[in-house]
């Protein structure tokens, strides 16, 4: 079968078989995502400390984030994740063309998320909401409110960079899938890229209630 | 519809329902419990994404181990940061 011959070409000499190689790659991805979770975890810990110190100021400041845009972004990311999962399922079933279309749709949703986030930031900047000591919105002059928006810009900014990376990963995977680079026997890059995208989604699932649903 | 597609679809619908529940609950005043409840639902959604979309269900023990260690460390870090600030009291001057 051509698929199997193609798959064998990807076998590294240090691995006994493709299954072992795939397991090593997947485990490596889990470890990478675990380190990413700790990276974000430090910021979530900072959020927990600041919010406990300034509960009222955090509620007041959270009223300045856009609930409609924030919630829309949640549904956009969840749908993108679903499409990526379907794409992996399609490649496993040997339907590369369909997988590529699904990945293009997911990348388009990633781009939509980035645009919506940029629109929301631009609204904040119009309202003179800036991070840290640059805060110029008089309603948010209290230290707690400043801490909220400093954390907001840092955490959503870091997440934005991850989403941007995810967008390029999805676009690259869509092109590779369209060119028939992946088969049911070998599609490790697609599995790993998909895992990365789902991680980006998971981080947002926590950012959303902490910055938008607080009232 | 294949078995895998059915699983992904069920998980996606569950994620949409849980997200909408979180959104609606944010309009109900539950006091101190509102954030705890929202985070609990978020954790449930994250687990669903990990198990179904990220194929943790198919992973060997090593995958579960890496994820469990990360979750344990993040929960410890965030939990202790919260407890630290919550249990501080002003120290009287001698």
């Amino acid at each position: 079968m051509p698929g199997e011959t193609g798959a064998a070409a990807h076998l590294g000499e240090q691995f006994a078989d493709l299954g072992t190689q795939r397991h090593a790659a997947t485990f490596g991805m889990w470890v990478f995502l675990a380190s990413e979770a700790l990276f974000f975890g430090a910021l979530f810990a900072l959020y927990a400390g600041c919010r406990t110190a300034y509960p009222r100021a955090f509620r007041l400041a959270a009223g300045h984030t856009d609930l409609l845009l924030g919630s829309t972004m949640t549904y956009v990311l969840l749908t993108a994740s679903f499409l990526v999962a379907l794409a992996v399922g399609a490649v496993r079933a040997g339907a590369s063309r369909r997988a590529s279309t699904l990945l293009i749709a997911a990348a388009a949703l990633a781009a939509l998320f980035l645009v919506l986030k940029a629109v929301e930031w631009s609204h904040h900047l119009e309202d003179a909401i800036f991070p840290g000591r640059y805060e110029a919105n008089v309603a948010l002059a209290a230290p707690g409110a400043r801490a909220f928006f400093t954390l907001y810009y840092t955490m959503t900014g870091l997440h934005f960079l991850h989403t941007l990376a995810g967008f390029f990963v999805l676009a690259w995977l869509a092109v590779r899938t369209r060119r028939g680079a992946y088969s049911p026997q070998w599609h490790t890059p697609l599995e790993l890229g998909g895992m990365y995208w789902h991680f980006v989604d998971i981080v947002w699932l926590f950012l959303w209630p902490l910055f938008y649903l607080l009232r | 519809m294949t078995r895998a597609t059915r699983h992904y679809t069920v998980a996606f619908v569950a994620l949409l329902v849980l997200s909408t529940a979180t959104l609606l609950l944010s309009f109900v005043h539950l006091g101190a419990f509102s954030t705890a409840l929202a985070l609990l639902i978020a954790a449930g959604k994250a687990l669903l994404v990990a198990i179904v979309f990220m194929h943790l269900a198919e992973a060997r023990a090593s995958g579960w181990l890496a994820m469990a260690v990360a979750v344990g460390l993040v929960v410890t870090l965030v939990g202790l940061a919260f407890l630290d600030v919550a249990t501080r009291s002003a120290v009287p001057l001698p």
Side-chain angles (χ1 to χ4, degrees), chain A:
Chain A
M1 230 176 100
E4 276 172 16
T5 321
H10 295 285
L11 180 64
E13 61 179 316
Q14 70 273 37
F15 294 106
D17 53 60
L18 277 173
T20 315
Q21 179 168 301
R22 189 173 56 241
H23 169 65
T26 311
F27 178 60
M29 195 63 192
W30 277 112
V31 172
F32 168 68
L33 294 181
S35 73
E36 284 273 82
L38 289 172
F39 185 27
F40 277 99
L43 288 167
F44 279 105
L46 195 59
Y47 176 98
C50 289
R51 166 129 180 232
T52 313
Y54 306 105
R56 238 178 297 163
F58 262 54
R59 279 181 198 281
L60 171 93
H64 290 257
T65 57
D66 194 323
L67 179 64
L68 181 65
L69 271 180
S71 305
T72 308
M73 285 183 255
T74 303
Y75 290 105
V76 166
L77 281 189
L78 283 176
T79 310
S81 256
F82 175 52
L83 295 180
V84 170
L86 285 179
V88 173
V91 165
R92 285 179 173 190
S96 282
R97 264 194 106 71
R98 191 172 76 226
S100 174
T101 309
L102 288 164
L103 287 168
I104 290 168
L109 286 176
L112 176 63
F113 176 91
L114 295 171
V115 169
L116 291 177
K117 198 81 211 79
V119 166
E120 198 196 359
W121 280 336
S122 72
H123 289 168
H124 293 326
L125 298 180
E126 280 167 17
D127 291 342
I129 299 173
F130 301 111
R133 65 194 173 94
Y134 301 104
E135 185 60 75
N137 187 315
V138 283
L140 302 167
R146 281 189 190 190
F148 177 89
F149 268 101
T150 305
L151 281 165
Y152 166 82
Y153 277 117
T154 311
M155 294 172 83
T156 58
L158 192 61
H159 180 264
F160 183 91
L161 291 178
H162 279 77
T163 314
L164 187 64
F167 166 75
F168 286 116
V169 168
L170 292 180
W172 177 73
L173 287 171
V175 172
R176 298 276 299 152
T177 307
R178 178 67 54 140
R179 289 182 183 165
Y182 308 127
S183 62
Q185 292 78 25
W186 186 82
H187 50 273
T188 308
L190 180 62
E191 295 264 358
L192 303 189
M195 284 170 75
Y196 174 78
W197 180 258
H198 298 310
F199 174 79
V200 170
D201 185 21
I202 286 177
V203 173
W204 183 261
L205 291 180
F206 288 95
L207 293 178
W208 179 49
L210 294 179
F211 287 111
Y212 294 88
L213 302 181
L214 196 59
R215 58 195 72 246

